[in-house]
Amino acid sequence: MRALKRDEPYVLDLQEVDETQIAVAGGKGAHLGALSRITGIRVPDGFCVTTEAFRRIVTQAPSVDGLLDQLSRSDPDDREAIRTLSARLRRAIEAIAVPADLAAAITGALARHGEQAAYAVRSSATAEDLPTASFAGQQDTYLNVMGPTAVLQHISRCWASLFTERAVTYRRRNGIDHRTVHMAVVVQRMVLPHAAGILFTADPVTGNRKVATVDAGFGLGEALVSGLVNPDVFAVRDGEIVARTIAAKQRAVHALPDGGTQERAVDAQRQEQPALTDAQVVQLVHLGRRIEAHFGRPQDIEWCLDDDGFQIVQSRPITTLFPVPETDDEENHVYVSVGHQQMMTDPMKPLGLSVWKLTAMAPMTDAGGRLWVDATRALATPAGRTGLLDLVGRGDPLTRDALETVLERDDFVPLLADPAPGKRPAGDPPAPIETDAAIVTRLIERSEASIAALRRDIGTKTGPALFDFLLEAFTEHKRVLSDPLSIQVIMAGMEATWWLNDKLHEWLGEKNAADTLTLSAPDNITSQMGLALLDVADVIRPHPEVVAFLQNAEDDGFLDGLAKLPGGTEARDAIEAYLDRYGVRCAGEIDITRPRWREQPGTLVPAILDNVRNFEPGAAERRFEQGRREAEKKEQDVLTRLRTLPDGESKADETKRMIDRVRTFIGYREYPKYDIVSRLFVYKQALLEEAGRLVQAGVLGEREDIFYLTFQELQEVLRSNRVDDRLVRRRREAFRTYDALTPPRVLTSDGEGLNGAYRRDDVPDGALIGLPVSGGTVEGRARVILDMAEADLEPGDILVTAFTDPSWSPLFVGIAGLVTEVGGLMTHGAVIAREYGLPAVVGVDRATRLIRDGQRIRVHGTDGYIEILS
């Protein structure tokens, strides 16, 4: 705790405080002070016992420092230790007698406001009611406290409540140091209301900023906050109540004449009467909008209604809302999540966001650390709407359903006429692409040559010349990504997949027939990556000392130690060769700031050891050959059955052409992503070298600071040799808060997030519904894994995770099935699951929470659902 400044006051009236004084008045006190200054907003009179008083008290309890040391060293998961230490801290603080001069300052304030009046005594921590962490309910509030002695006693309890178990746990979860948080206390005249409740100026469930919700009950608001009664709930939009639910409010909490509160039954004839009139609801929301405008963001507001009207007793930011992309207009917009298509719904750092936007084929915006595409224009015409919904629906029905939900709502996106057809461009349309494997070979060779040139040329560039070079490299990046031939190949593979699935279902009743027909398709860089790690395991398996060494490897320097062991040189060379080819990959690889396998090779060790343990030598070649034979057998079976149908020879010939086409082209679907991340790693290495020079020059504190700057901001730092440290700190904090948010599939400019729903009634009761992306049925042990580096798999396990990008592919060789929360028919996890013949269901809402690690489950990859068996 810092030294005291004797000139700092112990008590401030609320009118002396504003929102800039959180360090003095805590979050709640600062907000109440600001509220009291807003025209038309009534706040109960009162004062704030400042954090200086808290520091004064703590200095008189020598045991506090030692207990805080123990708390900081304790295991975050040891709830018993946290509970014990928290209780000891509270007892130590409550045992301290309030010094005479501090007590005099408090009782003097009470005399000014009415010594014998009833008061509410509320904790106000400096890490409370913040824009990024509300800490709602983490400290204590005491109502209807009467008399100086009781007020002083309850102030001590508020100080001690900084160390309730829930407050300590919340701070640890949010990465906040206990020593940096101090406690102020707000003392306010008690309001004896007819009704009280909570106003959210944005819908806390949907996120819609234009819909306010009001929860209301009789008496004090404690009945609602504690869950004693169900409140009346009103939804208000544009000054009108658009929805209401009037609850049977059987109980209410009231203040007692001599202090304290009491729960009482509500008269039967009043129970189902609204706590507020419609006019009062609309008036309250109007006040809330005024408060929201003052603070500049949606608010969670506690209110009371007495004979004189509404009084506001608390306002804090709503921290759970997903941010909305910024625009320069007031029009409606519909945004589609890029992360759900790229299998990376985690937040990205600013450098990652800006580099991806600079190199992407489509314009993108960002919000909440995620990338979004504005689909409004495409949805505004019949042809555009039909095309987009069809394309999205084939890959992810949930996104399509979410978009259709928006489009059904009162003309949110007005439908305009299709543009008149223009003059036909000169020349013939491009010839359809032939089914020729040499096309894929040529595209891969082009990509490799372009990346080799990038690596060669970037090595000589530093300073401003590096950024000029990178901007040119980004142009080449986009040129390769938008190569018409590359796009034709990708679309040819996907269209052949769709054709086979549609036609063979129509003709033979086969579901997802392409899943088997595409097993072990050639040129799939991602499936090759998984099989190659089996080959690495083959090199390591014969050497027990190498295996034991890897089992105890604790950092990314383990490669240096391998050469000292028998067989270690061969093992190191095998891993190095793997990293040379695939070390550009990592989880969340679309974010340039994520550590690559080449930078953190230890990430691969668990997967290598699983392969050593679970497979025999030569497994990669056998597995690929087995898949190829199964695909060949399926092809013969399908063609034979088709020939027995009317016009069967024609159907079989057309199907054979499509099978050849899909096997020729579908593997390339994975290659452009590999090209992208290969380039990202080259850019990253160059930028980190430049960051190292800035660190040496004292401009940056550490190299990774550049991750919290956009590409353009970093370019300016290099030009000026100056960086805004406060901006970097704010960006770090924002990234941490974004990490706690879950992005929706579709987001509107009103702030409403939508995830869509499966409209199905053909699954067993209790089954978890998802999207079938790889056929077959498998039963096994669920392994819920959120970090690839923590994987510990046995043969027959079913991987359950939030999402998989290509970096997860090495795990696919050792599992029997796949379940993810995010994904679509043509996303990477689905493609590789089909490649390896794994039954897979993706897009399963909350799968990692509804399925427990170790449970036995059955995955129906053909029909798209999961049964929990134990």
Side-chain angles (χ1 to χ4, degrees), residues 515 518-522 524 527-528 531 624 627 666-667 774 830-838:
D515 294 355
T518 53
L519 289 172
S520 297
N524 189 316
S527 65
Q528 290 167 1
L531 296 174
F624 186 83
I666 198 64
S774 185
V831 171
I832 304 307
R834 291 193 292 272
E835 173 77 12
Y836 287 163
L838 302 174

Side-chain angles (χ1 to χ4, degrees), residues 651-721:
K651 288 182 171 70
D653 288 347
E654 193 173 5
T655 300
K656 171 60 176 169
R657 285 195 298 273
M658 283 298 176
I659 292 173
D660 291 345
R661 195 166 179 80
V662 79
R663 291 193 63 79
T664 299
F665 292 140
I666 198 64
Y668 180 76
R669 164 73 177 79
E670 292 292 296
Y671 200 87
K673 182 74 170 291
Y674 176 74
D675 178 288
I676 292 169
V677 298
S678 296
R679 294 174 190 276
L680 288 179
F681 190 43
V682 176
Y683 307 153
K684 179 183 184 181
Q685 288 175 303
L687 290 172
L688 282 175
E689 285 185 20
E690 204 62 42
R693 286 187 275 273
L694 290 169
V695 170
Q696 288 181 336
V699 177
L700 293 176
E702 54 185 75
R703 292 197 313 165
E704 286 72 20
D705 284 351
I706 68 169
F707 295 163
Y708 299 94
L709 302 171
T710 66
F711 181 84
Q712 297 86 347
E713 289 166 346
L714 181 54
Q715 189 174 18
E716 176 59 23
V717 167
L718 191 71
R719 188 196 64 77
S720 66
N721 270 327

Side-chain angles (χ1 to χ4, degrees), residues 184-195:
V185 181
V186 173
V187 182
Q188 284 181 287
R189 289 286 294 259
M190 188 69 189
V191 180
L192 304 179
H194 309 305

Side-chain angles (χ1 to χ4, degrees), residues 359-404:
T359 55
M361 290 172 62
M364 295 181 186
T365 186
D366 65 89
R370 277 80 170 186
L371 291 161
W372 304 87
V373 170
D374 189 341
T376 317
R377 180 172 295 180
L379 294 169
T381 64
R385 182 173 295 190
T386 300
L388 180 61
L389 290 176
D390 183 58
L391 181 64
V392 167
R394 281 188 175 274
D396 182 5
L398 289 177
T399 299
R400 174 173 182 145
D401 184 78
L403 286 171
E404 288 177 332

Side-chain angles (χ1 to χ4, degrees), residues 229-479:
V229 298
N230 291 324
D232 298 339
V233 181
F234 303 87
V236 179
R237 181 177 181 128
D238 297 330
E240 294 185 7
I241 296 175
V242 294
R244 79 182 75 229
T245 302
I246 306 303
K249 301 169 288 297
Q250 298 176 342
R251 313 291 294 175
V253 175
H254 294 277
L256 295 172
D258 297 324
T261 61
Q262 183 182 63
E263 176 189 327
R264 296 176 187 166
V266 176
D267 292 342
Q269 64 270 25
R270 292 188 63 218
Q271 289 179 5
E272 296 191 21
Q273 292 180 3
L276 296 176
T277 66
D278 286 2
Q280 288 170 332
V281 170
V282 172
Q283 179 193 2
L284 177 61
V285 170
H286 178 72
L287 296 175
R289 293 295 182 208
R290 188 175 295 177
I291 294 169
E292 177 184 69
H294 177 85
F295 289 117
R297 58 183 300 146
Q299 296 288 300
D300 165 0
I301 299 166
E302 294 183 21
W303 55 270
C304 297
L305 176 66
D306 62 11
D307 290 336
D308 296 322
F310 288 105
Q311 296 206 53
I312 306 302
V313 295
Q314 190 166 328
S315 184
R316 62 171 73 91
I318 307 175
T319 59
T320 56
L321 299 176
F322 200 89
V324 179
E326 295 181 2
T327 63
D328 55 5
D329 60 46
E330 297 297 321
E331 302 298 319
N332 291 339
H333 293 266
V334 180
Y335 304 98
V336 176
S337 165
V338 174
H340 284 80
Q341 313 306 313
Q342 290 292 337
M343 295 294 92
M344 218 296 269
T345 55
D346 289 346
M348 297 169 65
K349 296 185 177 73
L351 184 63
L353 291 167
S354 63
V355 169
W356 189 267
K357 287 194 287 185
L358 285 167
T359 55
M361 290 172 62
M364 295 181 186
T365 186
D366 65 89
R370 277 80 170 186
L371 291 161
W372 304 87
V373 170
D374 189 341
T376 317
R377 180 172 295 180
L379 294 169
T381 64
R385 182 173 295 190
T386 300
L388 180 61
L389 290 176
D390 183 58
L391 181 64
V392 167
R394 281 188 175 274
D396 182 5
L398 289 177
T399 299
R400 174 173 182 145
D401 184 78
L403 286 171
E404 288 177 332
T405 300
V406 175
L407 296 174
E408 289 167 1
R409 293 183 181 166
D410 53 21
D411 215 22
F412 189 84
V413 180
L415 194 59
L416 308 174
D418 284 323
K423 184 178 179 181
R424 184 177 176 179
D428 295 326
I433 187 171
E434 296 180 7
T435 301
D436 183 358
I439 297 174
V440 174
T441 302
R442 190 161 68 250
L443 284 170
I444 291 173
E445 288 173 348
R446 279 190 205 171
S447 166
E448 290 177 343
S450 176
I451 292 171
L454 171 64
R455 290 195 180 104
R456 180 189 67 239
D457 296 342
I458 203 171
T460 61
K461 304 297 188 294
T462 61
L466 171 63
F467 284 84
D468 292 339
F469 175 84
L470 282 172
L471 289 172
E472 294 177 4
F474 294 167
T475 300
E476 168 68 2
H477 182 130
K478 288 193 284 189
R479 186 197 66 76

Side-chain angles (χ1 to χ4, degrees), residues 1-2 4 6 10 49-65 89-103 106 152 155-160 163 182-183 185:
M1 299 292 175
R2 67 174 176 81
L4 295 176
R6 293 300 181 186
Y10 292 135
V49 182
T50 66
T51 54
E52 193 61 27
F54 172 77
R55 281 190 282 267
R56 169 84 179 276
I57 290 295
V58 169
T59 58
Q60 298 190 16
S63 62
V64 167
D65 272 341
L89 278 161
R90 292 195 304 276
R91 287 196 298 271
I93 291 171
E94 286 191 48
I96 300 168
V98 179
D101 59 332
L102 175 53
I106 295 169
L152 287 170
I155 288 172
S156 288
R157 290 179 180 173
C158 283
W159 287 329
F163 298 105
H182 304 105
M183 180 68 81
V185 181

